[in-house]
Amino acid sequence: MSAISVGQAVILGAVEGVTEFLPVSSTGHLKITEGLMGIPVDDDAVVGFSAVIQVGAIAAVLVYFFKDIVRIVSAWFRGLRNREERYHHDYKFAWWVIYATIPIVVVGLAAKPLIEGPLASLWVVAGSLIVGSGVMWAADRMGRHKRGEDDTSFKDAMLVGSSQILALLFPGFSRSGATMSTALVLDLDRVAATRLSFFLGIPALTGAGLYELKDALGTGAGAVPLAVGTVVSFAVAYASIAWLLKFVAKHSFHAFVVYRIVVGVLLFGLLATGVVEA
């Protein structure tokens, strides 16, 4: 029997799609939603399900940024064959994304028991939501927003990519929030920070989803709920990406900071009163 029903998969897919790329923590929102629906957040099948439906959100990024991705990947292949092409920014950027993914892969494999165990607690999620809000607020105020996407460097990619570890270890911190905040501190403008967060998330989240697929199917997460959740995640994430890029072009991250604090405090209240279990 599947640990997650089709109806629950639709809800979780929608939550994943809305929150994966917004700096509000998709993992945190999924765990909160699972808790409210009485789904055990530390169950192996549930953890695997959450990772797999992320692939739907990543597929939305691949479709939305298809032309950019083709341009970057083409430049990478040209550079492998032609030394002169290796000076092109797109060729370098492709390698930066690869290098910047290594830290989170190493930590993810090494700390897997902690990530799927004690750190999966909703108490951790609540605390991370609030602490991450402070980091985001400070980064948005500190950043001078003077550098665009073409100004990114290897150092930028490595620092921003490595910041994903915060969200991996502390669900609720938000992968998008961590990467965008780091990019803002490095003086990238909000649109460049957001786009860099998208590109760096592609290999990390795709790898996590594929890695968890076998375990998700083998521990009770049915194929049909997985497929439904992934499709819903894709559709909702595509709309979310389009909205976010338009929003950050004209607004600060202040609204996200306030929202995260409200959700974090609310979650603490739900946990303290026993409405949801950690």
Side-chain angles (χ1 to χ4, degrees):
M1 190 136 183
S2 174
I4 297 175
S5 69
V6 173
Q8 291 172 329
V10 171
I11 295 173
L12 293 174
V15 171
E16 163 65 23
V18 170
T19 60
E20 180 59 57
F21 301 110
L22 301 186
V24 297
S25 175
S26 63
T27 300
H29 279 73
L30 283 173
K31 289 184 180 299
I32 292 171
T33 305
E34 290 162 359
L36 290 173
M37 291 193 297
I39 300 172
V41 298
D42 59 349
D43 184 275
D44 288 343
V46 176
V47 173
F49 178 90
S50 299
V52 171
I53 63 173
Q54 286 180 332
V55 176
I58 290 300
V61 173
L62 295 175
V63 173
Y64 193 91
F65 293 107
F66 182 74
K67 291 183 179 179
D68 295 297
I69 293 171
V70 169
R71 188 190 75 243
I72 293 169
V73 172
S74 297
W76 185 69
F77 278 112
R78 289 198 304 271
L80 293 178
R81 297 192 305 268
N82 187 339
R83 183 180 297 272
E84 294 181 359
E85 293 287 341
R86 297 174 189 175
Y87 296 98
H88 197 286
H89 184 270
D90 286 340
Y91 171 79
K92 296 178 182 178
F93 186 77
W95 276 116
W96 297 346
V97 170
I98 294 172
Y99 293 144
T101 303
I102 295 175
I104 192 174
V105 171
V106 173
V107 173
L109 293 175
K112 193 171 186 288
L114 283 175
I115 295 168
E116 297 182 355
L119 294 178
S121 168
L122 287 179
W123 289 107
V124 176
V125 172
S128 300
L129 276 166
I130 295 174
V131 173
S133 298
V135 172
M136 187 179 299
W137 175 82
D140 206 15
R141 290 181 64 87
M142 289 170 56
R144 289 177 288 179
H145 315 296
K146 67 177 184 178
R147 300 170 57 208
E149 188 175 350
D150 291 337
D151 299 319
T152 55
S153 65
F154 173 69
K155 176 184 176 182
D156 296 329
M158 289 303 298
L159 289 174
V160 174
S162 297
S163 70
Q164 296 178 107
I165 294 172
L166 286 171
L168 185 66
L169 296 178
F170 305 105
F173 202 96
S174 169
R175 188 201 65 81
S176 296
T179 52
M180 290 178 190
S181 295
T182 303
L184 290 174
V185 170
L186 295 171
D187 294 330
L188 270 69
D189 62 48
R190 294 187 183 97
V191 174
T194 303
R195 285 173 60 88
L196 182 58
S197 175
F198 285 147
F199 289 124
L200 288 174
I202 292 173
L205 295 179
T206 301
L210 295 177
Y211 179 81
E212 293 285 355
L213 180 59
K214 180 177 179 294
D215 291 339
L217 290 173
T219 52
V224 174
L226 274 174
V228 170
T230 303
V231 171
V232 172
S233 172
F234 168 82
V236 177
Y238 189 91
S240 180
I241 293 168
W243 176 84
L244 180 60
L245 287 172
K246 292 179 181 178
F247 180 85
V248 298
K250 299 180 180 179
H251 302 86
S252 71
F253 290 115
H254 179 73
F256 296 119
V257 171
V258 173
Y259 173 79
R260 288 170 57 102
I261 292 174
V262 170
V263 174
V265 171
L266 176 62
L267 181 55
F268 270 128
L270 293 173
L271 289 168
T273 56
V275 176
V276 296
E277 296 182 0

